[in-house]
Amino acid sequence: MGWFLGLGFGVYGWNQTWSGNVPADVGRPGLFADMAASLERAGFDYMMLEDSSVVPDVYGGSMEHSLRTGIVRFDPVPLVPLLASRTSRIGIIATVATTFYPPFLAARLFSTLDHVTKGRVGINLVTASPHAAAQNYGLDKHVEHDLRYTMAAEWMQLVGELWDSWEDGALRMDEAAGVFVDHEKVHPVHFEGRFHRSRGPLNTLPGPQRRPVVCQAGGSPAGRELAAAHADTVVSAVVGVEAMKEYREDMSRRAIAHGRGPEDIKILFLVDPVLGDTDRAARERKQRREEAHAANLEGALAGMSYVSGMDFSKFDPDAPLPDMSGSNGHQSTVADYAKAGGGGRTLREVAATRRVVESIELVGSAETVAAQMQEAMEYAGGDGFLIGSAPTRRTIAEIADGLAPVLRRRGLIRDGYPHDSFRENLLAY
């Protein structure tokens, strides 16, 4: 089990029920530190902090909607040690855009965090998609989608070589001999790639994991290939149990082609459970949520604009979904929107019904939802679920203290952490 924080270290549910503490929480670690402690108590494997380097301005060609509704993000990396200080076992994953982070900087930063967290950090690889984000890093526009992933594969190769630039046993700390590090076991990498160059070696000691856990949201063919080659855990938002089953089988084939075993990659599917004391109460809550989502057409269109790079304010919402084939955005999500628009469905219908945090619908009491999760996973394969719900204190308690104990009674989630490091615990279950 994991939790996907889609706005990273940002604002959740502003001006909505159960988010009244946002003025006190914004930009401060308290909510997220409390969340980390709760999820560790619940037996979660990790928290994953998404990130972005842009104030979204595709919708309406303006930042107005984003800023008015609180779409802001703080850099998640400084939050990692603070979450680690409140916990002892749960993994903490922070996002890095491979297109913008120099490989040496990322390798050194996450090696350092591996020490600071005592072996519990992970790195989530994204290539980013908005042109505005690329412009914040000095580019005229963003790189074409598949080329971004070609660059990311080389980036990851170099980062891996930097993490391995110290041999096992290089650290001696032999006071009698006066030798701290055996210099013959530390090597430059002299990497010369198409996109990246680095002399190496790292000037940090290898971390407890040596290689922090690598996470990736592999949706498009290029993304799946990157994940199969390098990721330890993968986030998927494919829709429906048949698509989940196909995804697991496809990733298994890709992993084998890269000389890895399917068990080396833990695949978690995004969900947003709606819980209630009874099934009826949960269905009523779901209905209220759907009505609120449908009524907020502007918000739905703004979200679609961000992930696709297309300004949906320009289109008639009651006309059929426009052609999205020219998008340079998140290809798997764009393809999902296009599929949802089949049969002449209107833009309004697609925007009102499709959200990107639900591989399957989970609605009911904790017992009912746990049974739904078990049934879906037994059919589709995969390894678990990534909660994509907005982390208000109410939602955190519902999942950590309501759903998780039921899953544990069914033998579906861990009841402890047998190892010290994130990687060992992740791969052990």
Side-chain angles (χ1 to χ4, degrees):
M1 292 289 291
W3 198 306
F4 174 79
L5 289 94
L7 294 175
F9 183 16
V11 175
Y12 294 88
W14 178 76
N15 207 28
Q16 297 178 23
T17 307
W18 301 103
S19 61
N21 284 324
V22 165
D25 288 334
V26 63
R28 299 188 177 98
L31 168 65
F32 301 99
D34 290 347
M35 180 182 186
S38 295
L39 296 186
E40 183 169 89
R41 183 180 67 251
F44 271 55
D45 287 88
Y46 61 81
M47 295 170 61
M48 197 272 268
L49 297 153
E50 182 59 286
D51 192 28
S52 174
S53 296
V54 63
V55 178
D57 63 353
V58 177
Y59 181 74
S62 168
M63 297 183 290
E64 187 269 338
H65 179 269
S66 297
L67 296 178
R68 174 165 51 83
T69 58
I71 307 300
V72 296
R73 291 176 175 87
F74 299 89
D75 192 317
V77 172
L79 186 64
V80 171
L82 300 177
L83 303 186
S85 71
R86 282 285 303 276
T87 56
S88 63
R89 290 295 186 273
I90 191 171
I92 305 160
I93 301 176
T95 294
V96 161
T98 59
T99 318
F100 309 135
Y101 262 69
F104 187 90
L105 173 64
R108 184 170 183 256
L109 176 59
F110 279 82
S111 178
T112 301
L113 286 172
D114 203 33
H115 283 280
V116 171
T117 63
K118 297 182 180 179
R120 292 192 291 123
V121 74
I123 181 171
N124 177 46
L125 308 182
V126 301
T127 63
S129 61
H131 289 303
Q135 290 160 2
N136 282 336
Y137 292 93
L139 303 177
D140 293 331
K141 64 178 183 179
H142 209 343
V143 181
E144 184 273 330
H145 177 272
D146 284 4
L147 181 58
R148 298 200 302 261
Y149 280 91
T150 300
M151 296 170 66
E154 184 181 284
W155 186 97
M156 192 63 239
Q157 180 186 350
L158 172 52
V159 167
E161 290 189 19
L162 288 166
W163 282 334
D164 290 335
S165 59
W166 289 54
E167 294 181 25
D168 291 338
L171 178 63
R172 290 182 52 188
M173 289 198 286
D174 185 338
E175 294 183 355
V179 177
F180 189 80
V181 172
D182 182 347
H183 73 283
E184 293 184 345
K185 293 186 176 183
V186 182
H187 310 285
V189 299
H190 296 303
F191 188 94
E192 297 275 351
R194 177 182 172 190
F195 307 103
H196 304 290
R197 301 172 63 188
S198 184
R199 176 180 177 273
L202 287 183
N203 59 346
T204 58
L205 304 175
Q209 299 179 107
R210 178 175 285 274
R211 172 190 165 104
V213 167
V214 176
C215 175
Q216 213 266 316
S220 67
R224 294 188 187 198
E225 197 63 18
L226 178 67
H230 300 288
D232 302 298
T233 183
V234 175
V235 179
S236 173
V238 296
V239 181
V241 291
E242 295 297 339
M244 291 165 61
K245 182 178 177 66
E246 184 279 330
Y247 187 90
R248 170 74 267 188
E249 292 172 348
D250 180 59
M251 288 302 299
S252 295
R253 289 190 295 267
R254 292 176 187 267
I256 292 169
H258 283 279
R260 308 176 68 194
E263 69 280 0
D264 294 333
I265 305 173
K266 301 302 181 182
I267 296 176
L268 276 63
F269 295 100
L270 273 167
V271 290
D272 184 10
V274 180
L275 295 164
D277 290 338
T278 64
D279 290 354
R280 179 178 178 179
R283 288 193 296 270
E284 290 173 350
R285 187 177 176 189
K286 173 72 169 179
Q287 180 64 30
R288 292 193 298 272
R289 178 187 291 188
E290 290 177 345
E291 290 171 355
H293 181 70
N296 185 21
L297 179 63
E298 182 184 44
L301 294 178
M304 292 178 66
S305 298
Y306 173 71
V307 298
S308 67
M310 298 171 59
D311 181 5
F312 281 95
S313 72
K314 296 179 178 180
F315 301 105
D316 178 358
D318 295 309
L321 182 75
D323 179 23
M324 302 177 69
S325 60
S327 168
N328 193 38
H330 298 266
Q331 295 299 292
S332 58
T333 305
V334 168
D336 181 45
Y337 282 133
K339 182 178 179 181
R345 297 184 76 202
T346 67
L347 174 57
R348 184 188 302 274
E349 290 173 320
V350 173
T353 58
R354 180 66 189 114
R355 302 173 67 228
V356 296
V357 292
E358 291 182 299
S359 281
I360 55 171
E361 183 179 276
L362 299 174
V363 182
S365 67
E367 288 285 354
T368 296
V369 168
Q372 293 168 347
M373 295 170 75
Q374 182 173 7
E375 182 180 4
M377 196 57 59
E378 287 176 349
Y379 177 79
D383 299 283
F385 292 96
L386 198 64
I387 304 298
S389 309
T392 65
R393 286 178 170 81
R394 175 183 178 176
T395 307
I396 294 165
E398 287 178 331
I399 299 297
D401 300 315
L403 179 60
V406 178
L407 291 169
R408 187 171 298 106
R409 287 197 296 269
R410 288 172 169 262
L412 300 176
I413 63 174
R414 65 173 70 253
D415 59 5
Y417 300 86
H419 304 287
D420 293 332
S421 78
F422 178 17
R423 173 181 297 282
E424 290 174 304
N425 284 318
L426 178 71
L427 297 179
Y429 194 80

